[in-house]
Amino acid sequence: LYSSQVANRSSMKANIFNLQAQYAGDGVTATSSTSYLRRNPDIQADATDLIGEITGLTTPAADVITGLTENFIQEFRLASATDRRFRWIAGVYLQRYRFDEVETLTQAGAGAVFAGDGFPSDVILHDTYTGHVDEEALYGEASYDLTDKLELTAGARAYHDDVELAD
């Protein structure tokens, strides 16, 4: 049984949407998938034992995380019929991920412990994590039935990531 000095809470409002469309033509299927995720975390956790190892204090320590995360994903792919000796799939993948979160870690009395080092605050950590990840990719795969029991498959994926982090 775990006894916490700080009330733990976790509240997360998340919205997730997906729209998929598919067209089956003569020998080829086209698929489009669009997804969007938005979440707002509001989390408080007991960090008393962890921070107590650093400060030497037994007073309650709270770790609070709030913010916003958004993720947009678009994928489009073409695929050949699966009942053929030669089969293939090719596609494009795009992702835009944005985040802006704040983490604050406090412990009563920590300012007195660290005042001599120039940190006279009970706020041990206050960080803002802001950034984005953008990814573009092309992919493909081809399979060929050499015999009824032997299949040869080759695939490739080329991508570019643009990552920017700031705090």
Side-chain angles (χ1 to χ4, degrees):
L1 183 64
Y2 178 74
S3 177
S4 175
Q5 292 193 50
V6 174
N8 289 307
R9 73 170 191 275
S10 180
S11 170
M12 182 121 28
K13 180 179 179 185
N15 298 307
I16 302 170
F17 303 97
N18 179 264
L19 176 65
Q20 186 168 331
Q22 193 168 59
Y23 171 78
D26 279 344
V28 68
T29 300
T31 304
S32 175
S33 178
T34 305
S35 299
Y36 176 75
L37 167 95
R38 178 185 173 106
R39 74 178 183 97
N40 300 84
D42 182 9
I43 300 166
Q44 177 175 288
D46 183 6
T48 304
D49 291 340
L50 174 67
I51 299 307
E53 292 290 323
I54 298 167
T55 63
L57 300 171
T58 58
T59 55
D63 187 16
V64 178
I65 299 171
T66 59
L68 173 67
T69 298
E70 292 183 296
N71 198 3
F72 174 80
I73 299 171
Q74 175 63 53
E75 183 175 4
F76 180 75
R77 67 182 169 272
L78 296 172
S80 68
T82 58
D83 61 350
R84 310 241 167 108
R85 192 170 184 168
F86 177 73
R87 297 167 308 283
W88 55 268
I89 185 169
V92 176
Y93 174 88
L94 303 168
Q95 178 178 9
R96 303 288 180 259
Y97 175 61
R98 305 285 184 266
F99 57 92
D100 187 10
E101 293 187 348
V102 176
E103 181 176 14
T104 305
L105 184 58
T106 59
Q107 184 179 37
V113 171
F114 296 118
D117 296 321
F119 300 102
S121 173
D122 289 349
V123 176
I124 297 168
L125 171 76
H126 182 79
D127 260 340
T128 300
Y129 308 106
T130 302
H132 74 263
V133 177
D134 294 338
E135 180 177 338
E136 298 92 22
L138 297 172
Y139 61 89
E141 181 178 285
S143 295
Y144 184 76
D145 294 334
L146 297 171
T147 69
D148 290 343
K149 295 183 180 186
L150 182 61
E151 174 183 307
L152 178 66
T153 301
R157 183 176 194 271
Y159 68 94
H160 175 266
D161 283 341
D162 177 31
V163 179
E164 182 178 308
L165 306 173
D167 64 359

